[in-house]
Amino acid sequence: MMKKSLSGLSLAYLLLVLGFIYLPIVIMTAMAFNESSSYALPFRFSTKWFEQLASNDILLRAGWNSVLLAAANTVVATVLGTMTAIAFARYTFRGKVLLQILLFPPIAIPWLILATAMLIFFFYSGIGRGLHAMLLAHVALSLPYVIVIVGARLQSFGTDLEEAAATLGASPLQTFFRVTLPTIAPGVMAAALFAFGISFDQFVTSYFLSPPGVTTLPVEIYASIRKGFTPEINAISAIIILVSMLLLLAVSRFYRFAGNS
Amino acid sequence: MSTVEIRGVSKRYGSVAALDDVSLEFADGEFFGLLGPSGSGKTTLLRSIAGFVEPDRGSIHVGGEEIARVPIYRRDIGMVFQNYALFPHMSVSDNIAFGLSVRGIGREEIRARVEDALKLVRLEGYGERRPRQLSGGQQQRVALARAVVSRPRVLLLDEPLGALDKNLRQQMQIELKQIQRLVGITTVLVTHDQEEALTLSDRIAVFNQGRVIQAGTPGEIYDSPRSAFVADFMGEANFFIGRVARRQGDEMQIVLDDGAAVMASGPSRLAENAAVRLVVRPEKMSISASEASIPPHHANRLAATVEQVVFMGSSITYRLNCAGAEVSVYQQNQDPPRAAEGGAVWISWRATDTIPVDD
């Protein structure tokens, strides 16, 4: 397709959309560096909210919990989901279609409903509440996304590469690690990022499943806002934004490296 | 010794017999072509040898060893896929080295053998490129180098030239044949292109509906087709239908449906009065303007009308009407034109070029 330059009107529209997305984030990040606790102007640069954050044990512990939980969820959901996607794409077995259909309702059902169901089930089954229960819930929520994303990548490659590897003498394990995994790596990375995001951002299930004293960052931010807002929240949000941007950048670089080859 | 023996192999998919009691033998170092229309079973047989398809019945032996229970990756085969199936995340060298590296061969030996393989397919200096940076013909050569570098017992080619344009395909056919001679690996080629099968193969098996209809050298298959299907599939064929009127040793006189008599010469199982279908190849026939100018050794002569003259460059194709039947005749371009459209002519051929076939 021929590349045309944008007209003035389209450019203005594009800026409007970008502003709609990024303006609140920019203002929040700026306010994390403003000395006033009540968003008062003029802007006076200060890092005092970051210093206060560094001594806010509750918020830091919640943040640490969130990172741990999201990391564990990423590993578990990505490994399980990739294995499932491969089973769906490369094998035939009884009940496969039923299982594939059952994948989609969890994506469509509101998280609030799923979280309620999990709370009740975990209560009766003796799993209870806590980080282990949250991990179970987060894995259950992110699995369908991982399977769909990795599955799409698997579909776009036929079985030819794997068959070629087998004829060349590669065992199934060698074929997986040297051919299948490298070719689907961009899909797996994207899925892992998704899984991390779903867990790190998860409020509803974590809120329901957190016992007193054990919270995650979204739950704690919610609690602090209810107690009375402080720009410490801006500070931690700014950190999170920075980290997620860097993460995305890293992944997109990886995508360019492995995806187009 | 890397002979391949296929013994009574059958494979059904639902109610369709993909392979129906197929038995074949490929000699050591032989280039064997499996030819047939799509869905005729040739690819199923190739994939059975590779191990992707498990036959329902029968057995496959490579070098005397039954391979049914040998997993694909221990069968010691090389395969070139229709779309080449090069690993996109590896360089050309790493693609070729893959089979050696998974077998745990040392770094130095791998490098030397990859160099040799690149030289074999005339791609020296391309080792560091990625497959997507190569043309279709070059990718095809990489796929071939990758398949032969570990010196497999059997080389399987699945429509290897199907994705190339015509000129490149002809050039690659010659190269493929040279390389196969050089490495001497028993090779099985699957193709639906009869010209490709004729050019490349030492022997050919023609498939239809899961069965081997006829197997033999390209010359045997083309010059002595046993059935109308083979005659029609291998090049163009003119058909005549008649009845055996007289038989004396190898000489037969056949009376066609319109009353004309045709001579056939050659061994045959047909008895007198049996219904018979005859095949005559278009290039074996001559066109003469008058009955007097028919070549004297041509025992068969029929009157015909020219319907169409098609100039093909190196040859000219005449479409004629011969007593209601359509007949094609090829004439070399070096001969002077013998007929114009609408003209009345004689077509003639030798008795030995009349081939009786089964229906």
Side-chain angles (χ1 to χ4, degrees):
Chain A
M1 212 175 83
M2 213 172 68
K3 280 188 182 162
K4 295 186 221 164
S5 52
L6 280 177
S7 71
L9 200 67
S10 321
L11 197 66
Y13 177 72
L14 186 66
L15 287 176
L16 194 72
V17 171
L18 284 177
F20 187 70
I21 298 171
Y22 282 104
L23 221 50
I25 297 175
V26 170
I27 290 172
M28 186 183 69
T29 312
M31 284 306 151
F33 291 97
N34 191 2
E35 199 180 2
S36 160
S37 67
S38 56
Y39 286 48
L41 293 172
F43 182 84
R44 285 231 295 282
F45 184 82
S46 154
T47 55
K48 82 173 192 199
W49 302 116
F50 287 89
E51 284 151 25
Q52 281 197 17
L53 177 67
S55 56
N56 186 337
D57 280 346
I58 297 173
L59 212 52
L60 283 184
R61 202 176 318 124
W64 183 235
N65 279 344
S66 268
V67 169
L68 270 185
L69 196 57
N73 175 62
T74 305
V75 172
V76 176
T78 308
V79 170
L80 286 182
T82 302
M83 284 162 68
T84 315
I86 288 171
F88 280 150
R90 297 290 188 257
Y91 295 88
T92 47
F93 49 89
R94 278 171 78 94
K96 177 174 153 182
V97 176
L98 182 72
L99 283 174
Q100 279 175 309
I101 292 169
L102 284 176
L103 263 184
F104 289 98
I107 294 178
I109 297 172
W111 281 346
L112 182 65
I113 309 298
L114 283 175
T116 312
M118 280 173 187
L119 178 64
I120 295 165
F121 175 71
F122 288 177
F123 175 74
Y124 278 113
S125 62
I127 293 170
R129 297 190 294 175
L131 284 177
H132 65 291
M134 290 185 221
L135 180 62
L136 279 178
H138 290 189
V139 167
L141 290 181
S142 23
L143 257 182
Y145 294 93
V146 174
I147 295 170
V148 168
I149 294 169
V150 176
R153 183 81 186 173
L154 272 167
Q155 293 276 299
S156 67
F157 285 92
T159 52
D160 275 9
L161 294 182
E162 286 149 13
E163 288 186 347
T167 63
L168 291 166
S171 67
L173 218 59
Q174 283 173 319
T175 301
F176 176 76
F177 282 110
R178 299 184 59 165
V179 173
T180 313
L181 197 56
T183 39
I184 64 171
V188 175
M189 286 299 292
L193 202 68
F194 229 89
F196 189 90
I198 286 175
S199 170
F200 199 70
D201 193 33
Q202 191 53 238
F203 173 72
V204 191
T205 49
S206 300
Y207 187 70
F208 279 25
L209 294 172
S210 63
V214 182
T215 57
T216 63
L217 201 56
V219 176
E220 197 50 46
I221 289 174
Y222 175 72
S224 334
I225 289 173
R226 276 169 52 113
K227 271 185 275 178
F229 189 85
T230 65
E232 280 169 52
I233 305 294
N234 289 341
I236 198 159
S237 303
I239 293 173
I240 291 169
I241 289 165
L242 188 73
V243 171
S244 27
M245 290 283 192
L246 287 175
L247 210 63
L248 257 177
L249 209 68
V251 169
S252 70
R253 277 197 71 87
F254 182 81
Y255 238 114
R256 203 170 50 205
F257 172 67
N260 298 335
S261 57
Chain B
M1 282 290 282
S2 313
T3 55
V4 179
E5 283 171 70
I6 319 284
R7 292 186 196 156
V9 167
S10 296
K11 175 74 186 174
R12 300 189 74 83
Y13 291 109
S15 62
V16 181
L19 287 175
D20 187 1
D21 194 22
V22 169
S23 295
L24 286 170
E25 267 190 60
F26 312 146
D28 189 36
E30 187 174 30
F31 201 125
F32 202 99
L34 308 180
L35 178 67
S38 62
S40 60
K42 57 192 193 306
T43 305
T44 308
L45 181 60
L46 192 83
R47 293 177 65 81
S48 301
I49 301 171
F52 300 128
V53 172
E54 214 175 303
D56 300 332
R57 274 188 293 124
S59 61
I60 299 170
H61 304 252
V62 176
E65 177 204 1
E66 232 265 59
I67 57 167
R69 302 211 188 291
V70 181
I72 302 165
Y73 60 95
R74 295 222 188 88
R75 288 196 178 189
D76 198 12
I77 46 177
M79 185 154 172
V80 175
F81 292 76
Q82 193 166 6
N83 61 0
Y84 317 135
L86 298 176
F87 305 126
H89 58 288
M90 296 182 197
S91 69
V92 166
S93 285
D94 288 346
N95 262 282
I96 298 173
F98 185 86
L100 303 170
S101 131
V102 294
R103 286 181 175 88
I105 289 170
R107 207 170 278 261
E108 279 309 307
E109 193 188 338
I110 288 181
R111 193 181 325 180
R113 284 171 73 173
V114 168
E115 273 311 306
D116 286 348
L118 282 170
K119 211 171 286 169
L120 180 73
V121 296
R122 299 197 291 118
L123 281 177
E124 298 113 308
Y126 285 82
E128 292 316 305
R129 304 232 186 145
R130 293 272 169 145
R132 71 189 152 93
Q133 295 171 309
L134 303 180
S135 70
Q138 289 169 334
Q139 290 185 24
Q140 213 277 337
R141 288 197 207 135
V142 175
L144 186 63
R146 185 179 68 173
V148 300
V149 72
S150 57
R151 294 185 202 115
R153 291 191 293 180
V154 185
L155 177 61
L156 307 174
L157 309 174
D158 184 8
E159 304 265 6
L161 308 176
L164 304 177
D165 62 47
K166 197 181 168 212
N167 282 338
L168 195 55
R169 195 159 66 224
Q170 287 175 339
Q171 185 196 327
M172 282 305 298
Q173 280 175 4
I174 297 165
E175 264 184 55
L176 189 59
K177 182 90 179 172
Q178 283 172 344
I179 290 170
Q180 194 266 346
R181 285 261 165 80
L182 215 59
V183 293
I185 300 172
T186 309
T187 301
V188 186
L189 165 80
V190 157
T191 181
H192 64 272
D193 180 344
Q194 45 104 3
E195 204 180 298
E196 191 168 298
L198 289 174
T199 314
L200 289 170
S201 313
D202 298 318
R203 281 194 302 150
I204 295 172
V206 181
F207 278 73
N208 193 30
Q209 296 176 337
R211 295 179 148 271
V212 176
I213 305 296
Q214 189 174 351
T217 64
E220 285 166 5
I221 302 267
Y222 184 83
D223 288 331
S224 316
R226 281 203 298 265
S227 63
F229 174 82
V230 173
D232 202 28
F233 195 76
M234 298 295 282
E236 203 174 342
N238 295 311
F239 290 101
F240 299 96
I241 295 166
R243 201 165 278 281
V244 179
R246 218 155 37 76
R247 193 160 171 189
Q248 245 176 359
D250 278 352
E251 300 285 318
M252 271 194 303
Q253 189 183 40
I254 295 123
V255 175
L256 303 185
D257 287 354
D258 67 332
V262 165
M263 297 301 293
S265 173
S268 164
R269 299 173 271 114
L270 292 160
E272 275 185 22
N273 219 25
V276 63
R277 189 192 279 260
L278 305 172
V279 166
V280 185
R281 295 290 185 190
E283 73 278 7
K284 312 273 188 186
M285 289 177 158
S286 291
I287 290 185
S288 308
S290 65
E291 196 165 6
S293 57
I294 291 172
H297 59 287
H298 282 188
N300 296 309
R301 52 190 63 184
L302 297 172
T305 327
V306 180
E307 294 202 319
Q308 197 185 9
V309 182
V310 185
F311 184 72
M312 310 280 284
S314 65
S315 66
I316 298 157
T317 301
Y318 295 90
R319 307 257 177 235
L320 307 111
N321 186 327
C322 178
E326 192 186 291
V327 172
S328 296
V329 177
Y330 302 156
Q331 184 195 322
Q332 287 298 311
N333 195 5
Q334 64 179 359
D335 303 333
R338 286 172 198 165
E341 284 178 12
V345 294
W346 289 87
I347 53 175
S348 62
W349 67 96
R350 294 181 305 180
T352 47
D353 289 331
T354 312
I355 317 157
V357 295
D358 300 333
D359 271 337

